[in-house]
Amino acid sequence: MRRHHVTSRRSSQSQAADSDRVSLLISAVAKRTLQGSLEDEKAAMVLNPVISKLAGKLVVLASASPRRLEILRNAGLRFEVVPSWFKETLDKSLFKAPHEYAMETAKQKALEVARRMPFKHLKTPDIVIGADTIVAVDGMILEKPVDKHDAYRMLSSLSGKSHSVFTGVAIVLCHEKENDEVDYQLFDFYEETKVKFADLSENMLWEYINSGEPMDKAGGYGIQALGGMLVEYVHGDFLNVVGFPLNHFCKQLDLIYNHGAFSSEQETSPGSASHNGTHASPTILTQSSPNAPAQSSHSNGSSAKHNPSASQTHHTQSSPSASPVHKVKKNDGESEVGESSWTLVNSLSKHTDDRQAEVIDSENAALLMTSRGPAMELNVTEHEGGEPRKEDLQRITELMDGFKASKALFTASKMCVFDLLQSRPGLNAAQVAEEIKASVKGTECLLEACVSLGLLRSKERKCQKPVYENAGLASRFLLSDAPFSLQGYIQHCDKTVWPLFSHLEDAVREGSNQHEKAFGKKSKDVFQDTFYNSLDVKLRFMNAMHSIAKVTGKAVATAFDLSSFKTACDLGGCTGAMAYEFTKSYPGLSVTVFDLPAVVEMSEHFHPLRTDNRVSFVAGDFFKDDLPKADLYILARILHDWPDEKVHVLLSKVADACTPGCAVLIAETMLDGRTPYSALQSLNMLAQTEGTERTESQYADLLSKHGFGNTRVVHTTNFLDAFIGIKL
Ligand SMILES: Cc1cn([C@@H]2O[C@H](COP(=O)(O)OP(=O)(O)OP(=O)(O)O)[C@@H](O)[C@H]2O)c(=O)[nH]c1=O
């Protein structure tokens, strides 16, 4: 499963081609590696038994990189994918050499997942693999570009020169002990490959950047796809450039499993494994309890040159049962939410017996329920005496308590706890209570609940009350002025969705929304009669749509390469937040936001600066009025509000406005993955609107009836999936 397929008319082809080429190239290289190895019987003996040693173990790839997944899958490894939440923000100036930075980042990625999984996944993995690829040129470290200009900066610094690609790899072995503690053993190494770029003309550079390929790749290029055309020669392991040094990895596994470096005992001698590569790095870290900081026998990443033996690290961490939920503390300040043992709405996926690689988690998973993946299945097994397992009890309790967690979040958000602690971190409960005008007792309970949910951190001080500060999740999503603030949506959930859900049983029995019971208003049209008929409800609803559009806008806008479209119309585009993301992504695009007069009259409140004159607003009813002319029609979170009959009315108006080559872009949560998020979202549509969420094929079917074909879908890891159809 991919985190993000970049597809586009041109770039979709290139992406499809990219993916094909990746497979082809990788299998070609893999074959070459294998053929080479087969000539050398000893090497073959080394490779295969190593991979087979891992059969039956829960192997986890702590990476969202589709290239790493493919390289390892092609090598025959069976594993699950749990992308790391570790932010790649280590201070580069602290590292003496670029590879030290890559190795440290790889290590942190792997350890973050290894530590999180016993809490989030019910299962402790056997092995976690982390990796980090960087490009080093002229004393600079280049990671993934943040935008096209950054890609330009990177690629022009590589033009005509030779540079090094380093991939740091960390292998963490997890040993569950009888007392419910987990030992972590770390083996890490790096690989360097030299790559020489041809001279790149400005035209070439921009053509390449506009293909969209550079954006998720270190140094801004993908050697396995279009970027291969920029390369004159490669010295070293090709797959290392693509993202994973397979050969070195296999050698490392061989050292671990066949030459005695592996040990489940705490007393493993660090020098017991011999090592034959120039880059293997021994590091010895020991961590004896969840609260103890990691101690390093040497400073970060400085070991590669000094100690030629394979490295081993032990970390020990108590499992949830050994440590009460609210006492589980952050170990090292690096993982943003890993300290929370709350797993209710995390998209957990039980690893199956035939452990297929599958993405089971993503960055925004935790409380915000954004990740995809198969729904969690309760793994209930009866033990001797019929006693239920503690993880089953934990999971069922979390499900029963889900509404309490939601309401704690809504309440803290409404009482401005997160805004307060952002401007004044380190307040104790009494001080917070005074500021939010609440009781000390109640505030203490609320703050502690937020700590247990991973939204706040608390610091205990000797003989004094604990003090509180925001955890990363709160700073990112829960402040009223954060770029990705979900405050507006949270307030909508509290004030609108919550009362509607209290009538869920009726919604299920009747198959219709519950506005009348929840709010005492009969509504023929939910939007006209309920959301937009009073100013405060309208503003709250617009705020909710605004915050979701800001969080999802970029992912939707860039899911496909839409640069060939010059005009777009965002139907039901509300405050224009999505439209602004589209114009930011496409300098040649103008977007008309088309929405009800009641909405358009308020939209300017959301963009006081109105800096982008490529976004304009037109008032009208898309079921009745003529639609503004455009090459591309955007329907983001619109169709799910309506039953098929009404969707057909709308799509036939869109189809009438389109000439061949025009497109419809639908952004919705598709039901295909059967994730808790999409399934619960569908229940939400039932209680709230006349509509429902749909599957990819249902959208394709609806569109095909109005003359749209060549449909493609991109599953972003954000809330929405993007679906495009071209007018034939
Ligand atoms: C030079 C080069 C890099 N890459 C990709 O660049 C990403 C590096 O970023 P990272 O931080 O190491 O990994 P990530 O993609 O963010 O994933 P994660 O492991 O979750 O941090 C990885 O994807 C690599 O394949 C290519 O696909 N081709 C190339 O020629």
Side-chain angles (χ1 to χ4, degrees):
M1 203 182 296
R2 273 153 206 270
R3 189 167 64 163
H4 194 161
H5 307 272
V6 179
T7 43
S8 60
R9 288 222 240 165
R10 185 178 46 185
S11 139
S12 73
Q13 282 154 4
S14 68
Q15 180 68 23
D18 176 359
S19 146
D20 289 350
R21 253 175 305 221
V22 177
S23 307
L24 279 173
L25 269 166
I26 289 175
S27 40
V29 174
K31 252 184 232 149
R32 238 181 18 236
T33 314
L34 230 66
Q35 275 160 9
S37 307
L38 286 171
E39 283 158 27
D40 180 344
E41 228 179 27
K42 199 169 150 234
M45 293 283 290
V46 168
L47 277 175
N48 293 323
V50 177
I51 296 291
S52 62
K53 282 253 156 108
L54 300 183
K57 293 191 192 301
L58 175 52
V59 179
V60 169
L61 175 62
S63 171
S65 168
R67 277 73 56 177
R68 290 193 185 118
L69 184 151
E70 192 153 6
I71 291 169
L72 285 168
R73 194 188 265 160
N74 282 339
L77 194 65
R78 298 202 139 200
F79 56 95
E80 289 186 359
V81 178
V82 182
S84 180
W85 292 345
F86 178 74
K87 296 272 166 301
E88 295 170 37
T89 50
L90 294 174
D91 183 351
K92 298 187 181 68
S93 65
L94 296 177
F95 296 88
K96 281 192 243 136
H99 68 262
E100 293 176 356
Y101 171 80
M103 283 171 65
E104 184 63 24
T105 305
K107 181 177 92 187
Q108 296 302 343
K109 286 182 188 179
L111 283 175
E112 187 277 318
V113 169
R115 285 174 182 145
R116 175 162 36 107
M117 281 193 67
F119 293 102
K120 300 269 178 193
H121 190 254
L122 308 180
K123 258 278 187 204
T124 301
D126 296 306
I127 298 169
V128 180
I129 303 158
D132 189 62
T133 301
I134 54 163
V135 164
V137 65
D138 298 336
M140 287 183 299
I141 290 178
L142 309 181
E143 296 177 282
K144 287 162 293 190
V146 291
D147 55 27
K148 286 184 174 183
H149 290 285
D150 202 24
Y152 176 82
R153 176 186 66 85
M154 291 183 180
L155 289 164
S156 44
S157 75
L158 300 176
S159 173
K161 278 187 251 165
S162 170
H163 63 265
S164 289
V165 180
F166 293 99
T167 298
V169 177
I171 304 168
V172 173
L173 308 188
C174 310
H175 310 288
E176 253 178 329
K177 301 205 298 190
E178 274 174 12
N179 60 1
D180 265 346
E181 287 187 328
V182 182
D183 265 7
Y184 299 108
Q185 240 184 323
L186 171 80
F187 298 80
D188 55 1
F189 67 91
Y190 74 95
E191 184 70 36
E192 175 179 6
T193 305
K194 291 217 174 345
V195 178
K196 165 87 193 318
F197 261 39
D199 284 324
L200 309 179
S201 67
E202 288 288 297
N203 268 350
M204 254 170 111
L205 267 177
W206 281 110
E207 183 71 9
Y208 182 53
I209 290 166
N210 286 330
S211 75
E213 190 176 283
M215 296 319 294
D216 61 344
K217 303 190 176 72
Y221 72 96
I223 197 166
Q224 68 276 18
L226 297 176
M229 289 189 266
L230 315 177
V231 170
E232 274 179 9
Y233 60 78
V234 177
H235 280 163
D237 181 356
F238 178 85
L239 290 184
N240 183 51
V241 184
V242 180
F244 199 79
L246 183 63
N247 184 269
H248 199 156
F249 174 72
C250 290
K251 285 177 179 149
Q252 203 65 40
L253 286 185
D254 181 49
L255 282 174
I256 295 170
Y257 286 102
N258 296 335
H259 296 271
F262 167 79
S263 165
S264 57
E265 298 303 315
Q266 187 90 343
E267 294 78 33
T268 309
S269 134
S272 61
S274 70
H275 147 75
N276 58 1
T278 46
H279 300 308
S281 158
T283 310
I284 300 169
L285 296 165
T286 305
Q287 185 176 306
S288 57
S289 83
N291 298 338
Q295 299 156 5
S296 176
S297 64
H298 52 68
S299 62
N300 279 347
S302 61
S303 56
K305 292 189 180 127
H306 306 308
N307 189 342
S309 62
S311 76
Q312 302 187 26
T313 303
H314 295 285
H315 294 259
T316 305
Q317 182 181 339
S318 297
S319 78
S321 65
S323 181
V325 169
H326 66 280
K327 291 269 194 238
V328 178
K329 293 273 165 48
K330 188 169 228 174
N331 289 329
D332 50 20
E334 282 143 358
S335 139
E336 285 200 334
V337 290
E339 71 274 29
S340 165
S341 65
W342 188 257
T343 61
L344 169 65
V345 282
N346 180 23
S347 86
L348 299 172
S349 104
K350 185 172 75 67
H351 71 281
T352 50
D353 280 337
D354 70 337
R355 287 170 181 143
Q356 299 286 348
E358 58 182 358
V359 177
I360 64 165
D361 221 332
S362 74
E363 186 182 350
N364 295 332
L367 261 146
L368 298 167
M369 304 196 296
T370 61
S371 78
R372 336 200 96 262
M376 173 68 191
E377 232 179 82
L378 285 181
N379 183 18
V380 183
T381 48
E382 295 223 334
H383 293 277
E384 268 175 55
E387 280 300 297
R389 300 173 351 144
K390 72 170 190 280
E391 47 270 59
D392 296 335
L393 287 173
Q394 186 188 339
R395 173 77 182 142
I396 204 77
T397 309
E398 287 165 354
L399 286 172
M400 291 189 296
D401 275 0
F403 75 98
K404 297 177 193 161
S406 302
K407 198 64 179 174
L409 164 65
F410 300 163
T411 303
S413 172
K414 178 150 186 267
M415 295 178 97
C416 301
V417 168
F418 306 111
D419 282 338
L420 173 67
L421 288 174
Q422 191 70 11
S423 56
R424 294 174 60 196
L427 297 182
N428 63 31
Q431 291 165 319
V432 173
E434 197 181 330
E435 293 296 326
I436 64 171
K437 308 210 174 355
S439 68
V440 175
K441 181 182 170 194
T443 306
E444 262 172 5
C445 286
L446 182 64
L447 294 173
E448 283 301 318
C450 289
V451 171
S452 76
L453 296 173
L455 302 174
L456 294 180
R457 285 192 273 262
S458 74
K459 283 191 192 133
E460 312 275 343
R461 296 173 307 167
K462 256 194 195 153
C463 309
Q464 286 185 43
K465 297 272 186 193
V467 296
Y468 299 90
E469 63 185 24
N470 285 330
L473 207 57
S475 314
R476 196 136 188 241
F477 297 111
L478 303 179
L479 305 180
S480 46
D481 59 356
F484 290 140
S485 174
L486 282 166
Q487 273 259 4
Y489 194 70
I490 287 168
Q491 292 311 315
H492 167 71
C493 289
D494 193 19
K495 291 273 183 261
T496 305
V497 183
W498 179 273
L500 289 169
F501 262 65
S502 67
H503 297 281
L504 190 60
E505 184 183 334
D506 289 333
V508 170
R509 287 189 194 287
E510 296 160 17
S512 57
N513 74 61
Q514 295 297 311
H515 283 276
E516 194 176 343
K517 285 202 198 78
F519 305 110
K521 280 183 206 148
K522 235 188 160 64
S523 62
K524 241 179 88 209
D525 178 320
V526 176
F527 290 89
Q528 311 258 27
D529 303 336
T530 310
F531 290 136
Y532 299 146
N533 85 341
S534 87
L535 185 62
D536 60 328
V537 177
K538 176 165 72 173
L539 275 177
R540 203 170 55 229
F541 185 73
M542 288 180 73
N543 249 318
M545 297 306 108
H546 187 71
S547 62
I548 283 285
K550 278 177 76 172
V551 173
T552 56
K554 190 172 176 198
V556 172
T558 56
F560 305 98
D561 180 357
L562 304 170
S563 54
S564 60
F565 297 103
K566 297 293 165 247
T567 53
C569 176
D570 188 4
L571 294 164
C574 202
T575 68
M578 180 72 76
Y580 281 102
E581 288 302 333
F582 272 70
T583 54
K584 258 193 251 163
S585 302
Y586 302 102
L589 184 71
S590 297
V591 185
T592 307
V593 176
F594 188 76
D595 213 319
L596 292 168
V599 176
V600 170
E601 70 186 17
M602 299 300 297
S603 63
E604 66 190 28
H605 291 267
F606 291 85
H607 305 281
L609 298 178
R610 285 262 177 154
T611 43
D612 189 347
N613 57 15
R614 287 184 290 121
V615 175
S616 56
F617 291 80
V618 171
D621 181 336
F622 51 50
F623 287 122
K624 296 184 188 141
D625 299 322
D626 286 342
L627 306 181
K629 279 271 166 233
D631 308 331
L632 172 71
Y633 287 89
I634 303 161
L635 286 160
R637 292 168 57 92
I638 298 297
L639 300 185
H640 71 175
D641 294 330
W642 308 104
D644 284 3
E645 312 85 82
K646 285 201 158 179
V647 168
H648 282 304
V649 173
L650 178 52
L651 288 180
S652 75
K653 286 174 76 68
V654 173
D656 288 347
C658 285
T659 50
C662 289
V664 176
L665 176 64
I666 295 170
E668 294 286 4
T669 302
M670 311 266 164
L671 281 174
D672 305 77
R674 289 216 164 143
T675 62
Y677 178 67
S678 62
L680 294 175
Q681 178 66 12
S682 202
L683 216 45
N684 185 28
M685 300 324 290
L686 172 76
Q688 223 186 131
T689 68
E690 297 173 39
T692 180
E693 301 295 350
R694 296 178 172 87
T695 61
E696 197 180 318
S697 68
Q698 285 171 325
Y699 283 113
D701 200 39
L702 287 167
L703 280 186
S704 74
K705 298 209 162 69
H706 298 278
F708 292 91
N710 290 340
T711 55
R712 273 168 290 141
V713 72
V714 166
H715 298 292
T716 78
T717 52
N718 214 306
F719 291 89
L720 300 177
D721 302 310
F723 187 96
I724 199 165
I726 309 291
K727 185 81 170 88
L728 302 172

